[in-house]
Amino acid sequence: MATEFKNKMSELMKQAWMLVKVYGFSMAEAMKQAWQVLKLKAALKKGVVKFYYQKLNGEIRTAWGTLKEGLIPETKGAERKKNDSLITYYDNEKQAFRSCKIANLIEIG
């Protein structure tokens, strides 16, 4: 249990520092955003989640996504390199994998 907590806190701090360095967030904003991302990732693994983020063109996107085993199709092909600045999810409306920048996440709802 303690190891799992330390791993989550380590991931949280890495994301927060990345938001500060790359996107110019204040540390307070970065911590708030990193917590929101951590909560979203946990919720996506449990089932279908509705969340909002800003697309690169400025449009606000309402997404219904999941990462729960059994609700997503089997992936084939080579493993991709993990990108820590993105949230990758399976979009239930489009029936395809999508991603958004963690800095652009607005709300889980």
Side-chain angles (χ1 to χ4, degrees):
M1 182 68 181
T3 305
E4 184 180 336
F5 177 77
K6 285 181 182 178
N7 290 340
K8 285 184 180 180
M9 291 302 104
S10 175
E11 180 185 346
L12 180 86
M13 290 307 294
K14 284 179 189 174
Q15 285 184 347
W17 276 113
M18 188 265 304
L19 289 167
V20 169
K21 291 177 188 174
V22 176
Y23 296 103
F25 280 49
S26 71
M27 192 55 171
E29 292 171 324
M31 289 297 292
K32 182 179 176 184
Q33 190 74 359
W35 271 113
Q36 194 170 10
V37 168
L38 196 67
K39 289 177 185 176
L40 176 61
K41 286 181 178 180
L44 286 169
K45 290 178 183 174
K46 292 179 182 173
V48 179
V49 181
K50 180 181 179 183
F51 59 100
Y52 304 90
Y53 64 90
Q54 185 173 6
K55 292 171 57 173
L56 294 177
N57 66 5
E59 180 184 336
I60 303 297
R61 166 105 158 81
T62 303
W64 290 90
T66 188
L67 288 175
K68 185 174 182 179
E69 295 289 328
L71 296 179
I72 60 175
E74 197 173 312
T75 55
K76 298 174 186 164
E79 268 305 300
R80 289 184 149 194
K81 184 178 173 189
K82 187 179 179 203
N83 187 339
D84 292 329
S85 66
L86 295 177
I87 300 169
T88 303
Y89 65 96
Y90 184 77
D91 191 316
N92 285 27
E93 294 174 323
K94 305 248 186 211
Q95 299 294 306
F97 281 95
R98 299 280 189 247
S99 63
C100 71
K101 289 186 178 183
I102 64 170
N104 295 347
L105 180 64
I106 297 172
E107 181 182 358
I108 303 168

